[in-house]
């Protein structure tokens, strides 16, 4: 499984540059996956899913929406890529109604506790915020937006279960870290937020771990300064 993940990541890094191009400006914030056979819940492999509770708008600066750009942005707001070797959860897939069908997450990113190199190793043991990224770029709904399934986990001794209210808490934590001005790797970002209702249903129907959600999706628009 690890080999498959690494391969698809390598492919992704190349494909993103070739297809989108860093300067190609998108025209819409996002398309509602439900309008074209998709879902705002991931497939966790057990008939249930996690809510896609944060969207990074397709109207963000194009570089933010690339593979490398999204990871740099994640670092700027307090996350980094997973600690290799301590990955506990399986990959999930999402259907964003863009004609690509069910596609695995591009990457899973974890809270780094203030140290982008070893921080995620601490997080894997201690719990914390994490998210999976899915890209809405199929030809039937090519917004370029990033759909994030964000959650807050209990520590490894609890088997990395999502804590009660963990989806709403994870979303609100991420948004609070992202808002305003942030920077990493010489790139400075300005982020604004808007809440959207009607994409997700409130409640726990279909939600992994039977955790209830408030149904809010937060739309972030990220502009590189
Ligand atoms: C869409 O995004 C995925 C994940 O980043 C990537 O693998 C794929 O090549 C992209 N497709 C297009 C047409 O840009
Ligand atoms: C998605 O991930 C699963 C689990 O690792 C794997 O079996 C499957 O082949 C992957 N699908 C694609 C399209 O990469
Ligand atoms: C979005 O909703 C959350 C949860 O109710 C709230 O804490 C947050 O302030 C709202 N954000 C905006 C931009 O309205």
């Amino acid at each position: 499984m690890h080999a498959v993940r690494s391969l698809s990541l390598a492919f992704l890094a190349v494909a993103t540059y070739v297809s989108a191009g860093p300067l190609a400006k998108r025209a819409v914030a996002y398309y509602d996956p439900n309008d074209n056979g998709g879902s705002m819940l991931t497939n966790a492999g057990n008939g249930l899913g996690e809510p896609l509770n944060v969207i990074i708008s397709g109207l963000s600066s194009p570089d933010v929406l690339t593979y490398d750009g999204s990871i740099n942005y994640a670092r700027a707001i307090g996350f980094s890529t997973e600690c290799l070797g301590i990955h506990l959860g399986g990959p999930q897939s999402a259907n964003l109604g863009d004609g690509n069908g069910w596609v695995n997450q591009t990457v899973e990113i974890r809270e780094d506790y203030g140290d982008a190199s070893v921080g995620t190793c601490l997080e894997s043991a201690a719990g914390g915020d994490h998210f999976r990224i899915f890209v809405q770029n199929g030809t039937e709904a090519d917004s370029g937006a990033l759909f994030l399934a964000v959650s807050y986990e209990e520590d490894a001794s609890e088997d990395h279960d999502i804590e009660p209210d963990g989806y709403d808490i994870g979303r609100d934590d991420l948004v609070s870290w992202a808002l305003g001005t942030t920077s990493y790797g010489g790139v400075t970002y300005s982020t604004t937020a808007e809440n959207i209702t009607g994409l997700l249903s409130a409640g726990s129907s279909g939600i992994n771990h039977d955790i209830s959600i408030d149904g809010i999706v937060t739309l972030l628009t990220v502009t590189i300064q």
Side-chain angles (χ1 to χ4, degrees):
M1 182 183 85
H2 185 69
V4 171
R5 263 173 63 84
S6 302
L7 256 181
S8 62
L9 288 180
F11 170 73
L12 179 69
V14 173
T16 307
Y17 281 147
V18 172
S19 60
L23 297 176
K25 187 71 181 163
R26 306 280 187 163
V28 293
Y30 65 90
Y31 294 99
D32 181 352
N34 300 298
D35 289 346
N36 192 30
S39 173
M40 285 296 288
L41 297 182
T42 67
N43 179 353
N46 57 0
L48 301 169
E50 296 185 355
L52 293 161
N53 47 10
V54 172
I55 297 174
I56 298 184
S57 170
L59 299 178
S60 299
S61 295
D63 273 354
V64 176
L65 305 175
T66 65
Y67 179 76
D68 286 346
S70 63
I71 290 176
N72 196 75
Y73 178 66
R75 290 189 165 134
I77 66 172
F79 291 83
S80 61
T81 45
E82 284 186 277
C83 178
L84 288 177
I86 313 190
H87 176 71
L88 296 180
Q92 298 188 6
S93 59
N95 181 347
L96 300 180
D98 59 2
N100 285 345
W102 291 89
V103 175
N104 284 351
Q105 68 202 38
T106 64
V107 64
E108 184 168 350
I109 292 187
R110 295 180 172 276
E111 184 177 356
D112 73 12
Y113 284 102
D115 182 336
S117 57
V118 299
T120 47
C121 300
L122 296 177
E123 196 276 348
S124 291
D129 239 20
H130 79 138
F131 62 92
R132 309 166 190 278
I133 300 180
F134 304 90
V135 186
Q136 186 174 54
N137 65 357
T139 53
E140 294 172 21
D142 189 10
S143 68
L146 308 181
F147 283 61
L148 276 48
V150 190
S151 55
Y152 186 89
E153 286 177 338
E154 292 177 339
D155 66 28
S157 62
E158 311 278 337
D159 223 0
H160 269 227
D161 274 338
I162 310 297
E163 77 163 35
D165 291 329
Y167 296 115
D168 295 345
I169 292 171
R171 176 201 61 212
D172 290 345
D173 280 355
L174 181 146
V175 170
S176 71
W177 299 333
L179 278 178
T181 303
T182 54
S183 63
Y184 189 89
V187 186
T188 300
Y189 304 95
S190 169
T191 303
T192 58
E194 178 189 339
N195 281 346
I196 297 170
T197 54
L199 288 173
L200 277 169
S201 305
S204 62
S205 175
I207 308 278
N208 207 10
H209 306 295
D210 196 30
I211 289 169
S212 193
I213 59 170
D214 60 15
I216 292 172
V217 176
T218 303
L219 177 68
L220 298 178
T221 304
V222 184
T223 307
I224 293 178
Q225 304 280 286

